[in-house]
Amino acid sequence: MNESYYMEVTKKSYSSSANLGPGYDILSLGHKAFFDSVTVKHNNSNGVKIISNSTPEEPDKNTAGLSILKIMEDKGIKTGLDITIKKGVPIGLGLGSSGASSSAAVRSVNELLDLGMGKDEMVYYSMYGEIAACGSAHPDNVSSGIYGGLTLISSTSPVKVKKIDINYNFNLVLVIPDISMKNKTRYARSIVPQSIKMEEHIVHTSRISTMLYGFMKGDRDAIREGMNDDIVERSREAMFPFYRDIKEKVINRNAVSACISGAGPTMLIFADDKTRKDEMLGDIKNVMGSYNTDYSIRETGILEGLDDQ
Ligand SMILES: Nc1ncnc2c1ncn2[C@@H]1O[C@H](COP(=O)(O)OP(=O)(O)OP(=O)(O)O)[C@@H](O)[C@H]1O
Ligand SMILES: N[C@@H](CCO)C(=O)O
């Protein structure tokens, strides 16, 4: 299709929960709780302009802008573009806000300029944008923004993503603490251990494998057994001191499992028809009250795919 055919393109990308316990930087689940909408449009300059009332205006400091600048540099594109970001994913809560903007922007520019990028190439450029948010190009949230569903990063160089089938009916319950912390993800990434013992490696590879087996087979016990992390979540626990209490309580009410969403502080609970939900929500209220922390609850479902968004 000819470049001049479209004058502007708008795409949505949704919130996501990275890591899912042991899958630091390699797993992510897209959900329908919130979305960003990004419009990319030709302008008459040679520059990239960000139009947004809640994210940085300098293109290289905005995840959407940085992704598009990198595409233009790599592909030798010289044109003027306005990038309008309508922010729906709350920032800094572990819901993949920064990655939602970059992945929506990349999908928009791919269509506007008829670049013909495949999904993994779009993940590559979207993850580059994450450098603007936290200093590193982690690929997990943006893989949700490009693929939807449950994604596994099988390689970062070159980027390869596998979509994992989920054969279980969940309700997702997000517990979203009212906590804001400047440079949260950057800080959270700085405190994870740089090396681990072989015993820990064995335990955690077993957990990831067990959890993925559980999602694919629809085995709730396997999901619960696998979705536990004593490396990354544990190292960050001081950032969300209520989490262990919440997790213990929700499992007692027969939730399938729970984890920290991305770098937190939001917690993601997998519930089903065996979960005693009202009692679970009462327990959450008591725990969060005991930590003097306000929060909101958002119930949502898995985002299956993005091809038509
Ligand atoms: N388009 C964008 N959307 C959101 N945040 C952006 C964007 N561009 C730059 N930023 C910056 O990225 C940082 C986002 O913070 P952070 O990475 O901690 O949050 P998050 O993306 O919501 O969380 P997480 O990655 O854990 O899901 C903020 O400093 C924000 O100003
Ligand atoms: N995998 C990343 C996700 C951040 O959203 C982290 O935990 O730092």
Side-chain angles (χ1 to χ4, degrees):
M1 197 165 289
N2 188 296
E3 174 182 330
S4 58
Y5 184 81
Y6 295 111
M7 293 311 287
E8 66 173 57
V9 172
T10 301
K11 297 283 178 191
K12 290 179 191 168
S13 281
Y14 287 76
S15 47
S16 56
S17 293
N19 302 345
L20 302 182
Y24 179 60
D25 279 1
I26 64 164
L27 289 177
S28 185
L29 182 70
H31 35 65
K32 298 181 197 153
F34 306 96
F35 65 84
D36 279 11
S37 162
V38 177
T39 302
V40 180
K41 161 174 149 181
H42 288 287
N43 67 27
N44 291 326
S45 76
N46 260 337
V48 169
K49 185 176 166 205
I50 301 283
I51 301 155
S52 164
N53 54 15
S54 56
T55 62
E57 286 189 354
E58 304 94 313
D60 62 341
K61 296 207 166 50
N62 195 302
T63 57
L66 187 62
S67 287
I68 288 186
L69 288 173
K70 175 77 172 151
I71 291 172
M72 292 172 73
E73 181 189 327
D74 284 0
K75 296 183 186 294
I77 297 167
K78 294 192 188 350
T79 186
L81 295 173
D82 284 348
I83 306 170
T84 305
I85 302 172
K86 284 198 187 137
K87 203 73 208 150
V89 185
I91 298 175
L93 292 174
L95 292 164
S97 178
S98 45
S101 291
S102 62
S103 53
V106 168
R107 286 166 51 234
S108 296
V109 84
N110 188 42
E111 190 168 311
L112 180 77
L113 302 182
D114 199 14
L115 299 176
M117 290 192 282
K119 286 187 173 173
D120 286 349
E121 190 176 3
M122 289 197 280
V123 171
Y124 169 76
Y125 284 109
S126 305
M127 81 191 226
Y128 189 84
E130 291 277 33
I131 295 171
C134 68
S136 66
H138 60 89
D140 39 9
N141 291 115
V142 299
S143 68
S144 296
I146 299 294
Y147 280 84
L150 173 58
T151 42
L152 164 69
I153 311 298
S154 60
S155 161
T156 49
S157 182
V159 170
K160 290 185 191 167
V161 176
K162 306 281 179 270
K163 196 157 170 185
I164 305 286
D165 289 337
I166 300 180
N167 288 303
Y168 200 85
N169 275 336
F170 297 108
N171 308 313
L172 302 177
V173 181
L174 293 164
V175 183
I176 308 173
D178 190 5
I179 297 177
S180 82
M181 185 179 163
K182 208 167 180 312
N183 293 323
K184 182 260 315 180
T185 302
R186 189 183 293 264
Y187 171 72
R189 296 180 72 79
S190 75
I191 58 176
V192 301
Q194 292 308 301
S195 58
I196 57 168
K197 294 192 185 121
M198 180 54 77
E199 303 93 87
E200 292 173 308
H201 166 73
I202 293 167
V203 167
H204 280 75
T205 48
S206 165
R207 286 177 178 173
I208 295 170
S209 314
T210 305
M211 179 169 72
L212 293 181
Y213 169 92
F215 279 122
M216 290 189 287
K217 292 280 187 186
D219 179 336
R220 84 191 297 276
D221 292 339
I223 296 167
R224 181 184 283 177
E225 207 180 319
M227 195 181 289
N228 288 297
D229 180 69
D230 292 312
I231 299 172
V232 175
E233 282 188 353
R234 189 72 76 185
S235 69
R236 293 171 166 176
E237 233 164 61
M239 295 173 64
F240 20 78
F242 35 76
Y243 167 58
R244 291 285 161 194
D245 282 358
I246 294 276
K247 181 152 180 174
E248 189 188 323
K249 293 279 190 310
V250 306
I251 297 289
N252 282 341
R253 297 302 188 183
N254 210 7
V256 179
S257 194
C259 59
I260 289 291
S261 179
T266 292
M267 294 160 283
L268 171 65
I269 299 166
F270 291 78
D272 64 5
D273 53 7
K274 297 189 175 72
T275 307
R276 298 188 294 283
K277 200 178 95 189
D278 291 344
E279 289 139 304
M280 178 179 92
L281 293 177
D283 287 348
I284 291 169
K285 187 171 177 201
N286 290 338
V287 172
M288 295 306 277
S290 72
Y291 285 88
N292 288 318
T293 304
D294 291 335
Y295 68 99
S296 58
I297 295 280
R298 178 64 77 110
E299 294 186 39
T300 188
I302 293 167
L303 175 74
E304 296 300 344
L306 275 163
D307 290 335
D308 55 349
Q309 303 288 325

